[in-house]
Amino acid sequence: MDAKTQKSEMTRTAIIGAGIDLASAEGLEAITLQAVADRIGLSKSGVFSRIGSREALQKAVIEEFGRRFLADVFVPAMQQPKGLPRLDMIVQRWIVRMRDVEAKSGCIYTAGAFELDDCEGELRDALLQEVTRWRASLRRTVLQAVEAGHLAADTDPEQLVSEICSLAIGLLHDARFLRDQRAAARAQASWQRLLKSYQL
């Protein structure tokens, strides 16, 4: 990669990073080319030349948030054996990420879902696709745990995924809104109790 291309990629990364910061603080609809340009000291046209339209920037922010989320939560858990060890690692890492990242900056998945729940359009569709993909990955992991005999044979994967996601949203609410310093520990205890209810 030549120096010019490398600089362009670094600038694009900075633009998307600024977009994530803006979305976390003010919501996905707050992302505009000008707002991001102001954050990183570029012109609006400079942002446009590297990203494109406002809609393209919003979509890039959602995709990058998803990439970071998977890199923190899902990818490391793939080193664990299929089944309960992998599922447990995913939830453990999700709780840690919620405690260390989203509790401080906000979660684009969660806040974005409430922001866009009554909307239609490409932005909602892009967020829905990312969240749906994440839940499908969780569902596959639950099914593998059932197939391995680690969870009861009559486990309803959709139900367990819904409960795990509810646990995460509850953690975020308590950590950010209630400012409960023990929110992550409570989520951890809830996960252990939930897990026992599905085990043989």
Side-chain angles (χ1 to χ4, degrees):
M1 187 183 294
D2 61 45
K4 186 176 180 182
T5 304
Q6 188 174 13
K7 183 179 179 183
S8 179
E9 278 301 308
M10 288 174 65
T11 303
R12 189 177 192 278
T13 299
I15 289 169
I16 295 172
I20 288 176
D21 292 343
L22 190 61
S24 297
E26 300 178 36
L28 287 163
E29 287 291 359
I31 298 173
T32 65
L33 300 181
Q34 188 63 61
V36 169
D38 291 344
R39 277 185 171 242
I40 60 174
L42 271 183
S43 65
K44 181 178 175 180
S45 60
V47 173
F48 180 83
S49 69
R50 289 168 176 84
I51 295 291
S53 66
R54 177 193 181 206
E55 292 74 19
L57 175 56
Q58 289 170 318
K59 186 176 179 183
V61 164
I62 290 170
E63 289 173 349
E64 176 60 18
F65 180 85
R67 189 198 66 73
R68 293 181 186 184
F69 181 85
L70 290 176
D72 280 353
V73 173
F74 193 74
V75 173
M78 292 302 98
Q79 305 303 316
Q80 296 294 318
K82 284 184 181 181
L84 191 53
R86 186 174 294 180
L87 178 63
D88 186 49
M89 176 68 80
I90 287 170
V91 178
Q92 300 281 357
R93 292 191 67 87
W94 195 359
I95 290 171
V96 168
R97 181 181 162 94
M98 281 288 194
R99 182 194 69 199
D100 295 347
V101 179
E102 276 83 8
K104 296 177 176 66
S105 63
C107 174
I108 289 176
Y109 281 174
T110 303
F114 286 108
E115 179 185 358
L116 302 174
D117 55 1
D118 290 328
C119 302
E120 298 297 336
E122 291 184 10
L123 185 58
R124 183 187 191 281
D125 291 345
L127 182 63
L128 179 62
Q129 184 176 12
E130 287 292 323
V131 171
T132 301
R133 183 182 298 130
W134 166 236
R135 288 176 74 116
S137 298
L138 264 181
R139 185 179 185 277
R140 279 194 303 274
T141 309
V142 169
L143 283 170
Q144 289 168 357
V146 173
E147 290 163 3
H150 299 155
L151 298 178
D154 63 352
T155 294
D156 179 347
E158 298 292 349
Q159 180 66 30
L160 181 49
V161 167
S162 177
E163 290 171 329
I164 293 170
C165 291
S166 296
L167 187 153
I169 292 169
L171 162 56
L172 191 65
H173 172 277
D174 289 3
R176 283 184 63 76
F177 184 69
L178 299 182
R179 297 177 183 169
D180 181 357
Q181 298 296 317
R182 288 189 47 77
R186 296 184 204 285
Q188 178 64 251
S190 296
W191 166 237
Q192 295 305 322
R193 288 173 57 192
L194 179 62
L195 197 52
K196 284 180 184 176
S197 74
Y198 280 94
Q199 288 178 294
L200 299 170

